[in-house]
Amino acid sequence: MASRSYPMRPRRDRNRLAERSSQPEDNDAESTNTAFWIRGLPHTTSYRGLFTALRGTGTIRNCRIVQDRPRSLTATAFVQYFKQSDAFKLWELSRTLQFAVNGVYPQVEWHQEPIAEFPGRRVQTRGLLIRGPPSVVNYRVLEELWSGFLQWTKDFYIDSGEGEVLYFFTGWDDECRLARRLLMTDLMGTVSVDYARDTCDCEREPEGPQA
């Protein structure tokens, strides 16, 4: 994978800090919630950039980035975790000014309608590791296979060119889970499909030199 480039030190927004400090510690929306709105993102924010900033917070169930308005310079992301304990990691990270996306501190708010954990879910990842013949297991063929049955957004992929593709979607429910099912149905006996650890569940990388 390409080496990570480190952003300049993000700007500290005094008004946003005041908003954070005024939020109640014991909020009904926090009691069972696993979901957030992340507001004030630069409109150029990519899923790769957002997931890089979320690294170390835990396994993410679903994520969507939407531009606030046509031609707007800001965007909003919906982020839902599998576990409430992981959701609190992001909450605490945002309150200590360690969560920045593209050099900006976004505003992190609990989703107004609490979305609780789904108990009993053993698989918690957005990633698939697909192996098989290179003529079948490559980025182009996979995209064509899924295109007729699945609407998806990818975080990133790595195609080794030797019959191994690591593929990360932006969500589990309507993307990673269904993509695996299609592969296991249409290419049974030809490919192997294993779940890959969510990059957001990996250890957070240390900050680079600050300007």
Side-chain angles (χ1 to χ4, degrees):
M1 295 177 59
S3 60
R4 180 185 176 191
S5 60
Y6 297 99
M8 301 284 285
R9 183 181 294 276
R11 299 186 299 275
R12 295 174 182 260
D13 188 325
R14 296 181 182 274
N15 293 330
R16 188 158 294 163
L17 288 174
E19 289 174 6
R20 284 185 180 147
S21 63
S22 65
Q23 294 195 35
E25 293 293 331
D26 187 14
N27 189 313
D28 289 341
E30 302 176 24
S31 59
T32 60
N33 214 344
T34 60
F36 295 97
W37 293 113
I38 302 179
R39 304 185 188 278
L41 294 168
H43 72 286
T44 55
T45 300
S46 65
Y47 284 102
R48 182 85 296 260
L50 179 58
F51 285 127
T52 297
L54 292 169
R55 187 180 178 93
T57 58
T59 51
I60 292 175
R61 181 168 185 140
N62 286 304
C63 178
R64 285 291 179 270
I65 301 174
V66 180
Q67 194 169 2
D68 289 339
R69 295 177 303 278
R71 300 183 180 179
S72 173
L73 296 179
T74 60
T76 297
F78 167 80
V79 175
Q80 179 191 2
Y81 286 85
F82 279 98
K83 299 178 182 178
Q84 185 190 21
S85 58
D86 288 342
F88 269 101
K89 292 179 185 177
L90 173 58
W91 177 244
E92 292 301 322
L93 195 66
S94 70
R95 290 167 65 84
T96 57
L97 285 177
Q98 297 181 50
F99 177 61
V101 182
N102 289 356
V104 173
Y105 290 110
Q107 184 176 354
V108 178
E109 302 174 358
W110 290 99
H111 194 276
Q112 63 271 29
E113 296 181 5
I115 302 176
E117 292 184 9
F118 287 77
R121 176 70 66 190
R122 289 183 298 172
V123 177
Q124 298 183 356
T125 184
R126 304 171 292 111
L128 294 178
L129 178 59
I130 308 160
R131 298 186 179 98
S135 60
V136 176
V137 179
N138 61 72
Y139 174 75
R140 181 184 59 80
V141 170
L142 292 175
E143 292 273 314
E144 289 179 358
L145 172 67
W146 290 326
S147 64
F149 305 92
L150 181 68
Q151 291 185 345
W152 76 100
T153 310
K154 60 179 170 289
D155 171 8
F156 74 97
Y157 73 93
I158 300 175
D159 186 346
S160 71
E162 300 178 353
E164 181 175 292
V165 177
L166 180 63
Y167 212 107
F168 276 89
F169 300 86
T170 60
W172 157 263
D173 290 325
D174 299 323
E175 296 179 327
C176 183
R177 175 177 60 89
L178 294 181
R180 182 179 185 274
R181 181 182 298 175
L182 285 170
L183 291 174
M184 298 301 290
T185 300
D186 291 1
L187 300 176
M188 183 180 296
T190 304
V191 303
S192 67
V193 187
D194 298 309
Y195 289 111
R197 183 180 179 184
D198 191 334
T199 55
C200 294
D201 192 37
C202 297
E203 185 176 352
R204 192 172 178 84
E205 296 182 15
E207 294 295 329
Q210 301 291 342

